[in-house]
Amino acid sequence: MSSSPLVDQIKDAMKAAMKARDKERLGTIRLIQSEFKRIEVDERIEIDDARALAVLDKMVKQRRDSAQQYLDAGRNELAEKENREIAVIQDFLPQPLSDAEITAIVDAAIVNTGASGMQGMGAVMAEVKPQVQGRADMGAVSRIVKARLGS
């Protein structure tokens, strides 16, 4: 049995989707499960919540990129499918942080690390990342860190 509440929640959601005969949701949840299993087999580890969040975050990012490429190519039906998968994956991610919350976390990290200037960005990002993983777009976080350190 898994020790990760998030992994257990996803397994329960898969059972519920099977009972409801929701093929689209079930398919996306199976994709999540197979990615977890691949990591567990390849790395010989048991996935914890932190790693599960990182995997879900990566899956959302991949689908956003794919959806944009489909839109650019005029394949709206495929972009819609990607967006539906994003919605299912996001059901398992924590509530997103607001810009104000991200800025507060970044400001606290700058104080904690004593960073000043762009050379301190790596230290600040290392402290911020575990706090915002799965709850914020890391590109947006990076822009906020740059703006705070640049001023």
Side-chain angles (χ1 to χ4, degrees), residues 24-71:
E24 193 166 318
R25 182 173 174 81
L26 180 60
T28 303
I29 293 171
R30 283 185 170 149
L31 287 173
I32 294 169
Q33 293 277 42
S34 68
E35 186 64 16
F36 287 172
K37 184 57 86 181
R38 184 191 64 76
I39 290 168
E40 287 177 340
V41 169
D42 288 354
E43 300 178 20
R44 293 187 174 103
I45 60 167
E46 190 170 306
I47 286 200
D48 60 355
D49 273 358
R51 185 67 188 267
L53 282 175
V55 169
L56 293 175
D57 212 24
K58 181 179 177 186
M59 290 178 80
V60 167
K61 185 177 185 306
Q62 288 170 335
R63 277 152 186 76
R64 280 194 181 121
D65 291 345
S66 296
Q68 188 58 52
Q69 289 175 3
Y70 287 138
L71 285 175

Side-chain angles (χ1 to χ4, degrees), residues 119-146:
Q119 66 273 16
M121 184 165 175
V124 172
M125 287 298 289
E127 180 151 333
V128 168
K129 188 173 181 176
Q131 298 175 55
V132 300
Q133 186 76 52
R135 299 181 66 195
D137 175 40
M138 291 310 290
V141 172
S142 176
R143 285 189 293 277
I144 292 171
V145 171
K146 283 179 185 171

Side-chain angles (χ1 to χ4, degrees), residues 8-27:
D8 292 339
Q9 177 189 352
I10 292 170
K11 285 179 184 172
D12 293 342
M14 186 167 86
K15 291 174 191 169
M18 285 175 161
K19 287 180 183 173
R21 291 190 160 84
D22 186 345
K23 287 183 180 178
E24 193 166 318
R25 182 173 174 81
L26 180 60

Side-chain angles (χ1 to χ4, degrees), residues 103-116:
T103 303
I105 291 170
V106 168
D107 288 343
I110 289 171
V111 170
N112 290 346
T113 60
S116 62

Side-chain angles (χ1 to χ4, degrees), residues 44 78 86 109:
R44 293 187 174 103
L78 292 173
I86 289 170

